Amino acid sequence: MDVLDGSDPRSITFAAERLRAGELVVFPTETVYGLGADATSQSAVELIYAVKGRPSSNPLIIHIAEISDLARVADLSKLSAQSSSWLDRLSSYWPGPLTVVLPRSKIVTASASAGLNSVAVRIPHHPVALNLIREAGVPLVAPSANLSGYVSPTRSAHVLEWGDNRIRCILEGGPCSIGIESTVISLLGEEPILLRPGIITREELVKTLECRILYAESNGSLPQLSPGLSFKHYSPKTPLTIIPIETTELPERIGYLSFDSRPPSFQVHIHKVLSPDRNLEEVAAGLFEGLRELDQLGLDLIISDCCEETGIGTSIMDRLKRAAAK
Ligand code: TXA
Ligand code: MG
């Protein structure tokens, strides 16, 4: 598994060739690193599930480079007029950290969507990702490049920790600027449904679409809509708990992940500050890396700070609650 410079056109040419040959390539996006494969190849897509240890019931996101390619991967004729007009508005976020669930077209292999008739699509906002997709000439499935259930990778080094030679290469693109995965919204129903909150928030989407947006919270009432949103996810191996906590009988070696530089009210072995002053974009950008760092220290417990569940705070708490789920 070589690490190649993603800004070198020769790396892109090589990786694109390998993708067309059905191999797997890790590439950077603005959110997290993705494990890429040709979305039109059943065997390449099946290799993704095998390498990640991902349940075959959890569908993948298709990455394209141009809005004009949307009609290749999605069957837009099956969209209602209302959903089409929502799609028009949402396409203003592309390239960017927004994934839209639409009716699937035949070119996307059914296993990419876990057999569903729908397809999740986004245009990533990263030059290496866009160059790679363009040169490959095929849409790419790209789940986050982590073992299923573990914390998503925001640096190439995170992929090197687990990947094996079934991954052909990693395109280096530096740390991901956003740090949490894209917002996922479904346009299949009569009302848009937020399936996964991200940096583009539900509040912002309500303003863009000028309508109500349902939120399929993981433990809520709409679990069948996004099979991948099973509750436990993003989990470090070390037990994780979120404040407020009972401070009696805490174990000895505690790592504290905080959203500002104030010292905790309990004894800690290590204090990892994600943002000096509770800047939530900064917290999101460092969240997965912070969890990974603390997870490597052989601690008894990781305690995480919390924030109000509005705006980006909803997305940060979504990831943390899943990571802490027993
Ligand atoms: O930011 C991202 O979206 C990253 C980067 C690499 O682009 N990718 C990513 O992929 O997070 P993954 O596989 O880790 O998450 C895909 C999410 C899952 O929650 C899955 O259930 C949902 O998208 N999804 C995919 N296809 C779907 C579909 N047809 N219907 C409903 N949900 C779908
Ligand atoms: Mg993932």
Side-chain angles (χ1 to χ4, degrees):
M1 197 174 44
D2 297 327
V3 181
L4 307 178
D5 175 5
S7 64
D8 183 340
R10 289 170 301 182
S11 313
I12 299 288
T13 304
F14 172 77
E17 257 170 29
R18 295 296 89 215
L19 285 166
R20 281 195 304 272
E23 295 185 341
L24 310 188
V25 169
V26 170
F27 62 91
T29 81
E30 77 281 33
T31 57
V32 300
Y33 274 75
L35 177 60
D38 177 355
T40 68
S41 159
Q42 191 184 338
S43 57
V45 169
E46 277 165 9
L47 189 55
I48 293 258
Y49 283 95
V51 168
K52 271 187 63 93
R54 183 173 175 115
S56 58
S57 56
N58 188 0
L60 307 172
I61 295 175
I62 312 296
H63 296 64
I64 56 174
E66 250 78 47
I67 294 213
S68 56
D69 282 339
L70 191 57
R72 284 179 74 200
V73 297
D75 185 350
L76 301 178
S77 71
K78 291 209 179 98
L79 273 188
S80 69
Q82 178 62 267
S83 290
S84 300
S85 83
W86 285 328
L87 177 60
D88 273 349
R89 291 186 186 206
L90 292 179
S91 60
S92 65
Y93 289 103
W94 285 334
L98 182 75
T99 296
V100 183
V101 177
L102 298 164
R104 179 168 58 88
S105 92
K106 296 253 160 1
I107 171 184
V108 174
T109 183
S111 46
S113 288
L116 301 172
N117 292 326
S118 57
V119 67
V121 191
R122 84 176 191 104
I123 304 181
H125 190 45
H126 195 291
V128 176
L130 291 171
N131 288 337
L132 180 68
I133 300 164
R134 286 190 186 116
E135 184 126 349
V138 287
L140 301 180
V141 287
S144 50
N146 51 281
L147 280 174
S148 184
Y150 196 62
V151 183
S152 297
T154 55
R155 291 178 183 269
S156 58
H158 300 159
V159 184
L160 286 169
E161 282 163 18
W162 70 274
D164 58 40
N165 58 11
R166 290 174 295 175
I167 300 175
R168 186 55 196 245
C169 63
I170 302 177
L171 293 176
E172 175 62 61
C176 302
S177 59
I178 290 179
I180 57 172
E181 305 87 346
S182 62
T183 304
V184 182
I185 186 171
S186 169
L187 296 184
L188 296 180
E190 278 169 20
E191 289 184 278
I193 301 174
L194 182 67
L195 298 175
R196 180 172 72 184
I199 283 293
I200 298 174
T201 63
R202 181 187 187 185
E203 291 88 337
E204 187 182 340
L205 291 169
V206 163
K207 282 191 197 143
T208 303
L209 297 183
E210 297 179 289
C211 69
R212 189 168 78 136
I213 296 178
L214 304 174
Y215 177 27
E217 270 178 289
S218 46
N219 50 353
S221 53
L222 304 160
Q224 75 285 5
L225 293 167
S226 198
L229 297 179
S230 64
F231 194 62
K232 191 171 168 70
H233 217 120
Y234 316 110
S235 306
K237 296 177 190 81
T238 315
L240 168 70
T241 186
I242 306 170
I243 57 172
I245 50 152
E246 201 58 68
T247 49
T248 53
E249 289 184 44
L250 283 176
E252 205 170 303
R253 286 171 56 85
I254 292 177
Y256 180 49
L257 192 63
S258 74
F259 299 176
D260 59 47
S261 51
R262 283 178 301 175
S265 59
F266 39 86
Q267 278 274 322
V268 299
H269 182 71
I270 182 152
H271 181 187
K272 170 89 188 164
V273 177
L274 294 178
S275 165
D277 51 4
R278 298 189 89 75
N279 173 334
L280 292 187
E281 290 189 6
E282 203 171 10
V283 170
L287 183 67
F288 289 152
E289 178 158 46
L291 281 174
R292 280 175 176 267
E293 243 176 74
L294 293 181
D295 201 22
Q296 298 206 328
L297 300 179
L299 299 165
D300 299 319
L301 180 67
I302 300 172
I303 297 176
S304 167
D305 204 346
C306 65
C307 58
E308 201 193 328
E309 292 185 47
T310 56
I312 300 169
T314 309
S315 316
I316 291 168
M317 291 309 294
D318 167 75
R319 304 307 191 276
L320 275 173
K321 284 184 192 170
R322 288 169 196 279
K326 299 278 171 350

